[in-house]
Structures are given as structure tokens and as C-alpha cells.
Amino acid sequence: MSYSGVMPSARSRAMVRETRHLLFTVTPGAFWIFIFLVLPSAYLMGVAFMTNGPYGLPQMPLSLDSFERLAGFGFLGWSPGNLYTLLRSLWQTLVSTALVVVVAYPIAYYITTCREKWRPLLLLAVVVPSWTNQVIRTFGWMNLLAPGTPLSGLAESLGLVAPNMGLYPSNFAVTLGLVYNFLPFMVLPLYGAFEKLDTAQVEAAQDLYASPMRAFWHAVFPQTLPGLLAGIVLVAIPAFGMYVIPELLGGGKGMMLGNLVANQFAGASNWPLGAAGAILMLLATFLGLYVMRRLGKRLGGGEEVVI
């Protein structure tokens, strides 16, 4: 009987300490997310449903004009310009992500096959370029792809571009810039997946006379799927809303959704339309995450892949 009053009290004090520790640990991060993520997103959603004012600032009453403008409906009728921008963004994202995967797979595999002492240096060589400002790196590609450079001269000799035109500005330059910029975000997750690779499955596939392609598809790909899906999320989502690379390497010829949104908050002075475009990017992000999780569950044999 003497312990009946002591144990609940000790248990309750322990629960209070755990609760305080949890609140002390979680509160700063939750406060930061609420202030800098939830509130701006809520404000953005409110702006998207407001009317464009005389100077581009949002004002009452509430309306769906910004979403209609985003779909191409204006006071002069319907125009497919914004839809072309959206489709161009999707196409550039798909092509760039696919090329990043093709380039990153052999790089990640090669790093895992090197001696252990060389792996940190090789990973550092992949990551170091991303430590430089993105604008500076993009200007570097502008100089490399400009008319008169070796790359442009090679393209001219192969008949890919007209004389003295160069590879910049063009959609090719935008794609190349996106691949270069997001390559480390694919290599690192794949490297982590390759480090955990069960080589016994690969050897078993080879012993059963599987071709290199079949051995990769049945023994390597399922084991590296979590790293691949994580890399796709890290590459495709930022690439879809990219602004700097299409603006500089595209030269205004390959505007993507990020450029459209930025222009509405700056030169075009239409905040509600820009907010509607930003909401579209958020919806595309959530949809992409959902598709990746479902796809990972299907390809992973029913086990949900955490992204």
C-alpha cells in the first residue's frame, strides 16, 4: 500500500519531464516552420483569390480571375501562352531528370567500386561545384556555350547549329544547365543506395546467365530504388520551378513556370497571377510526392518507400 501512492506520482513526474523535453525540442522548429512556411503559404493562397489592383497589388473583392488568366483566359480572349509555359516546364523537368538519372547511375556505382580512401574525395569532387553561387556557375556556362567557343565550334562542325550562333541561348543550354546543377542531388542518394547493395543477388543473376541489362533490372534496380526516388524528388521538384537557369541560359526563349511567377511579382505587376502560379507549383509538388510514393510502393513489392 505504501507504493501505490508513490508509483503513479513518479510516473506522472516522468511524463511531465518527457513532455517538457519534447516541447523544448520541437517548439523552436515548429515555430520556425509556422512563421516562415505556413504563414507565407497562407498569405499566398489568399492573394491568389484576390483581384489585381491598379499597381499590381492585390485588393478585394475575391475572384478567380488569376486562375482564369493562368489558364489563358484574358480580356482579349483565350491564349495558350501560359499553358505553353507550363508544358515547357514539365517537359524540361522530365528531360533533365531523366538525363540526370542516366549520368548519375554510373558515377555513383563507380564511386562505390573505388577504394574506400578515395570515395570521400570523389564525392567531394561531385559536391564542390554546388558550393559556388548558382548565378556564377550559370554565367560560366554562358561563356562556355557562347559563339566562338570550342563547344559551339564542335556543334557548328556537326551541323547542329548555324554558323556564329552558338549553343547559348537555347533550350539545350537550359537542359544542360539543369543537369549540371542538379547532378549532385542524384549522385548522393544513389551512392547511399549502392553502398547497401547486396552483391550476392547480382552474383546470383550472373550465375543464372542473365545479361548485364537483366541483372541490373532484377538485382540492382530494386535495391537502389529508394535512392533513385529520393533523387528524383530532389531534382524534379526544384527543376520545375527553376528561375535562374532558364532566365540566363534561355535568354527569354525558354521561360518556365518559375520565370512566369517571378515576372508577375516584378515587371508584369500582377501579384494574384503570380500567387496562382506559385500555388500551381505547390500542387505539382504534392502530386509528384504522392506519385513517387505510390510508384515506390508498386515497384518495391508492396513495401512503401519513404521519401
Side-chain angles (χ1 to χ4, degrees):
M1 296 295 294
S2 60
Y3 292 98
S4 61
V6 176
M7 294 302 294
S9 178
R11 189 180 300 112
S12 61
R13 287 198 298 268
M15 293 180 61
V16 170
R17 286 196 299 268
E18 292 179 1
T19 303
R20 289 177 179 176
H21 182 267
L22 181 62
L23 290 176
F24 180 77
T25 305
V26 174
T27 299
F31 180 77
W32 182 275
I33 293 175
F34 180 77
I35 295 296
F36 295 102
L37 181 61
V38 176
L39 286 183
S41 300
Y43 173 74
L44 200 64
M45 294 183 65
V47 169
F49 290 95
M50 298 180 73
T51 305
N52 187 34
Y55 300 100
L57 298 178
Q59 65 180 22
M60 298 299 286
L62 299 178
S63 69
L64 296 176
D65 291 344
S66 57
F67 293 95
E68 294 177 356
R69 291 284 303 275
L70 190 63
F73 295 95
F75 61 92
L76 295 179
W78 182 78
S79 173
N82 291 338
L83 294 182
Y84 285 158
T85 300
L86 176 61
L87 294 176
R88 186 185 300 112
S89 301
L90 290 173
W91 175 248
Q92 285 281 14
T93 301
L94 292 175
V95 172
S96 302
T97 304
L99 291 176
V100 168
V101 171
V102 171
V103 175
Y105 249 107
I107 293 177
Y109 174 73
Y110 174 75
I111 294 176
T112 55
T113 58
C114 292
R115 293 183 178 181
E116 191 172 352
K117 66 177 182 179
W118 295 111
R119 295 177 189 176
L121 293 177
L122 294 175
L123 288 175
L124 189 64
V126 173
V127 175
V128 160
S130 63
W131 294 356
T132 309
N133 186 275
Q134 187 183 78
V135 177
I136 297 176
R137 286 183 282 133
T138 306
F139 270 108
W141 277 110
M142 291 169 61
N143 294 325
L144 290 174
L145 301 176
T149 60
L151 290 177
S152 296
L154 178 62
E156 291 178 9
S157 62
L158 295 176
L160 300 178
V161 296
N164 300 321
M165 289 298 295
L167 295 171
Y168 151 79
S170 64
N171 289 328
F172 169 78
V174 174
T175 303
L176 183 61
L178 291 174
V179 172
Y180 166 77
N181 186 77
F182 292 109
L183 184 62
F185 298 95
M186 183 65 72
V187 172
L188 294 180
L190 285 178
Y191 170 77
F194 272 114
E195 272 199 325
K196 303 175 183 178
L197 188 69
D198 184 8
T199 57
Q201 297 185 29
V202 183
E203 294 173 356
Q206 293 173 346
D207 292 339
L208 294 173
Y209 302 101
S211 64
M213 191 62 193
R214 289 178 65 87
F216 168 79
W217 183 252
H218 293 285
V220 177
F221 178 75
Q223 298 186 68
T224 58
L225 182 61
L228 174 63
L229 293 181
I232 290 177
V233 170
L234 293 174
V235 172
I237 291 177
F240 182 69
M242 178 56 63
Y243 169 76
V244 173
I245 294 176
E247 184 72 17
L248 296 180
L249 292 179
K253 298 180 180 180
M255 186 172 66
M256 295 175 62
L257 187 58
N259 306 93
L260 176 65
V261 172
N263 291 339
Q264 303 310 313
F265 285 100
S269 298
N270 192 336
W271 284 30
L273 181 58
I279 290 178
L280 180 60
M281 286 193 291
L282 289 176
L283 294 177
T285 299
F286 292 137
L287 179 61
L289 290 174
Y290 174 77
V291 171
M292 286 295 104
R293 290 177 69 90
R294 298 287 296 181
L295 183 62
K297 187 175 181 179
R298 179 181 295 271
L299 297 179
E303 296 180 2
E304 187 173 5
V305 177
V306 179
I307 299 178

